[in-house]
Amino acid sequence: MIDFDPGTAAPTKGTSQRNGGDLVVETLEALGAKTVFGIPGQHALGLFDAMGRGNLHFVSSRVENNSAFAADGYSRATGEVGVLFLSTGPGALTSLAGLQEAYATGVPMVVVASQIPLEGLGARRKGMLHQLDDQKASAANVTKSQRLIQHASGIPSAIQDAWTEAISSPQGPVWLEIPQNVLLDPIMVPPVEDALAEAADNPPRVELVREAVKWLSTAERPAIIAGGGTRRGRAEKSLLSIAEKLRAPVICTPGGNGAFPWTHELSLQSWIEDRHMTDLLEDADVLIVIGSSLGEVTSNYFTFAPRGRIIQIDAEPRVLESNSPGLGIRADAGQALTALDEALVAPVDTTRSWHGTAPEDLVKDSLAKVKARLESQDLGKELKFMSDIREAVPADMQTFWDMTISAYWGWSCWDARQGQFHSAQGAGGLGYGFPAAIGGAVGLETVGKPSRVLAVSGDGSSMYSISELATAKQHNVPVTWLIVDDGGYGILREYMVGAFGKATATELARPDFVKLAEAFGVPATRVAPEDVGDALKAGFAADGPNVVVVETLLKMFGPTHLDD
């Protein structure tokens, strides 16, 4: 169990005078926040002092980027808004890579950063500690919006508006910053008693749904690509209904992994990078793309050349037709698929076939071709390694994957079952897995669903977040961390050897991860690849955090976008 109870902590009054920091805490609590991630800082001390008078539970990371990843993981695991407190200048800037992942993936977060005192703002060089010309401008590329709050009376409304924007599709992180003196100065504003944030409605246009139904009703070979927006829009039930009405094969992107039942007779699973799947999707006469830009991975590295018509559904208007022309429907995936499902007659065509082959048989044949291609590439170790992990992980366990070869395999082969698959495929930054898993486990405890989670990293990516072993130990977080140690940046090594015949600057001097974890007071074990399943099961049965280290070199399956 994690060492906090978010429901019973009583406020402790250190002083009788309230300040701007109290308004931040009170508003967040009124909106339903229970847990906050971050690191204290000089300009943010008023905020942290106020937190001591409230009921928010604070999880202190060791690096701000990891705090952002943790808030991201909290949100993904629970479906709630992640909250992040940041200091000024270097602290705020250090969080940006983590926020890029949340922004790219559509994770709702409210970020409260401190600022230098009001008199130092305006790009004047007063020489104040942590001073930036325009701090919020630095966050413009990685957040939905950025606001500076200059008066305490504006704090509750600004936070309420930020929360509303964060949960409105397309979801994402929203940045607020509050100067040091606004947080510290005494206020006349009464305590916040209630706050309301409701997601803005984002339904599809009626004429677009009607046109989509027209296309689908006459389609002979419909297919569906389910991207991350499908999961964010909680559209899984409608997706299943539509696929069965249309008898349409469904493939999930890495972000959409788990949106469609893995073993369903229409499931192409997640082998989106395989040319056999690319060929099938290109042959569809109507392709529904949900919550995906048809970007680099989904398009098999931009080799995908659809011959049929595309219906693209996305809450982000900039995504629509960004890579292929089609009928663009700007809408929340859940609302759009509900409308589409209600408008479709069931079944549309029970005799549908792909050039004489039933869709269900086509799916079976395509998966068999993928399996045969993998078995022809001497990947027995890799296939068994991933299978052993899958069989060791409980069916409902949530997993968090870093940018590492195991995760790239997971994008294609991981059956999420009743759990959830989370990875950093949005922005692709290293260091996501372990801090996001910490946030996920804390979140599950917070919402009354305590559960152990799994994090998977390589030796290179693990060093980005190794300091968070202290966080996991301090809060007794039930995270099992699998580190696959291949002595370098394994995927970059493979890419360089494939492209240039040799790798440069990919090898790493790495620590003894077992001894390092033990130095933090975290139990750890090193096992051979064939023993990873048993080691994980032992870790899952333990209390608090633990680490499993496997020293092995895994290969990726051969890229099919380079095939002639």
Side-chain angles (χ1 to χ4, degrees):
M1 295 289 289
I2 302 173
D3 63 351
F4 78 94
D5 183 347
T8 59
T12 302
K13 293 288 184 181
T15 65
S16 59
Q17 181 62 60
R18 296 170 59 255
N19 57 29
D22 288 281
L23 289 175
V24 175
V25 172
E26 291 164 4
T27 306
L28 288 171
E29 288 183 359
L31 287 165
K34 299 179 180 65
T35 299
V36 176
F37 300 86
I39 297 177
Q42 176 177 317
H43 296 116
L45 293 181
L47 179 59
F48 283 82
D49 176 58
M51 200 158 43
R53 295 187 286 277
N55 293 301
L56 293 177
H57 171 65
F58 183 66
V59 177
S60 179
S61 303
R62 300 306 186 265
V63 183
E64 287 86 356
N65 191 44
N66 294 329
S67 298
F69 283 145
D72 175 308
Y74 177 97
S75 179
R76 294 198 205 193
T78 64
E80 298 192 350
V81 175
V83 181
L84 176 63
F85 284 176
L86 296 171
S87 182
T88 317
L93 296 180
T94 301
S95 74
L96 297 184
L99 291 176
Q100 184 186 2
E101 175 58 38
Y103 183 55
T105 309
V107 178
M109 290 170 54
V110 170
V111 184
V112 181
S114 62
Q115 249 295 10
I116 60 175
L118 277 167
E119 61 268 22
L121 299 178
R124 290 168 290 175
R125 295 294 183 116
K126 295 179 72 71
M128 290 181 172
L129 185 70
H130 303 333
Q131 184 174 9
L132 291 166
D133 290 346
D134 186 352
Q135 178 175 279
K136 68 181 186 302
S138 300
N141 277 323
V142 295
T143 55
K144 288 184 69 175
S145 67
Q146 313 80 39
R147 304 167 193 169
L148 171 66
I149 305 172
Q150 301 191 52
H151 305 283
S153 59
I155 289 175
S157 294
I159 292 178
Q160 180 174 275
D161 290 348
W163 194 286
T164 299
E165 185 175 2
I167 63 176
S168 296
S169 62
Q171 297 181 342
V174 178
W175 180 281
L176 300 172
E177 54 188 45
I178 310 175
Q180 179 184 33
N181 48 335
V182 177
L183 289 170
L184 286 171
D185 289 348
I187 58 173
M188 296 182 290
V189 184
V192 178
E193 296 183 8
D194 62 75
L196 177 65
E198 294 183 349
D201 202 28
N202 195 359
R205 296 182 63 86
V206 174
E207 71 275 11
L208 296 177
V209 173
R210 187 182 302 121
E211 185 68 13
V213 170
K214 186 188 302 182
W215 289 14
L216 292 168
S217 297
T218 58
E220 295 182 2
R221 298 183 306 282
I224 301 173
I225 295 177
T230 314
R231 292 172 61 192
R232 291 189 295 276
R234 297 174 175 82
E236 293 90 343
K237 183 178 179 180
S238 296
L239 171 63
L240 177 60
S241 177
I242 291 169
E244 290 181 340
K245 286 179 180 179
L246 297 173
R247 293 178 67 203
V250 179
I251 193 165
C252 293
T253 71
N257 187 308
F260 194 75
W262 189 263
T263 57
H264 193 283
E265 61 182 355
L266 291 169
S267 176
L268 295 167
Q269 301 175 357
S270 292
W271 294 99
I272 198 77
E273 294 183 61
D274 191 281
R275 188 67 219 180
H276 295 301
M277 298 302 180
T278 307
D279 291 341
L280 186 155
L281 296 171
E282 287 179 342
D283 190 37
D285 59 352
V286 177
L287 180 65
I288 308 175
V289 181
I290 310 154
S292 170
S293 65
L294 293 179
E296 186 171 8
V297 174
T298 303
S299 65
N300 205 352
Y301 301 91
F302 300 114
T303 63
F304 177 49
R307 297 187 292 275
R309 295 186 290 183
I310 294 176
I311 299 169
Q312 188 173 18
I313 299 168
D314 209 288
E316 170 56 74
R318 292 175 296 177
V319 164
L320 297 175
E321 300 189 79
S322 59
N323 283 306
S324 294
L327 180 66
I329 302 177
R330 187 198 69 85
D332 170 76
Q335 290 182 272
L337 291 194
T338 296
L340 192 60
D341 185 31
E342 291 174 350
L344 280 170
V345 177
V348 173
D349 182 2
T350 57
T351 63
R352 175 167 286 128
S353 71
W354 289 58
H355 310 294
T357 301
E360 297 80 5
D361 292 336
L362 178 71
V363 167
K364 188 183 301 183
D365 292 345
S366 299
L367 291 174
K369 289 177 182 178
V370 172
K371 181 179 179 182
R373 187 176 72 82
L374 293 173
E375 291 176 347
S376 71
Q377 294 183 17
D378 188 26
L379 295 169
K381 179 175 75 171
E382 288 76 9
L383 290 167
K384 184 178 187 305
F385 187 75
M386 295 303 298
S387 176
D388 288 347
I389 297 173
R390 175 59 278 181
E391 292 312 307
V393 173
D396 61 350
M397 180 176 284
Q398 299 202 29
T399 59
F400 296 80
W401 302 72
D402 223 313
M403 296 297 287
T404 184
I405 289 178
S406 299
Y408 302 152
W409 272 97
W411 287 359
S412 295
C413 76
W414 188 261
D415 175 5
R417 297 182 183 174
Q418 289 79 54
Q420 292 191 55
F421 176 90
H422 308 287
S423 77
Q425 89 290 334
L430 291 176
Y432 171 82
F434 186 50
I438 290 174
V442 169
L444 292 171
E445 177 84 9
T446 301
V447 299
K449 299 177 181 178
S451 178
R452 176 168 292 275
V453 302
L454 171 68
V456 182
S457 301
D459 55 299
S461 59
S462 68
M463 292 301 290
Y464 278 67
S465 48
I466 199 76
S467 60
E468 302 311 322
L469 283 167
T471 303
K473 177 63 177 179
Q474 179 176 337
H475 297 280
N476 196 40
V477 182
V479 178
T480 295
W481 191 10
L482 172 61
I483 299 175
V484 184
D485 181 0
D486 64 9
Y489 296 119
I491 193 65
L492 299 178
R493 176 197 291 137
E494 188 166 314
Y495 288 163
M496 291 189 76
V497 170
F500 311 116
K502 65 176 182 178
T504 303
T506 60
E507 306 313 297
L508 296 173
R510 72 275 198 195
D512 183 325
F513 286 105
V514 171
K515 290 182 178 179
L516 183 55
E518 290 173 344
F520 283 95
V522 176
T525 183
R526 181 182 291 104
V527 298
E530 57 269 22
D531 297 322
V532 67
D534 290 340
L536 288 176
K537 290 176 183 177
F540 297 154
D543 180 56
N546 52 70
V547 176
V548 174
V549 180
V550 177
E551 294 182 356
T552 189
L553 176 62
L554 300 177
K555 297 183 297 183
M556 275 303 296
F557 50 82
T560 63
H561 65 283
L562 301 178
D563 292 350
D564 293 329

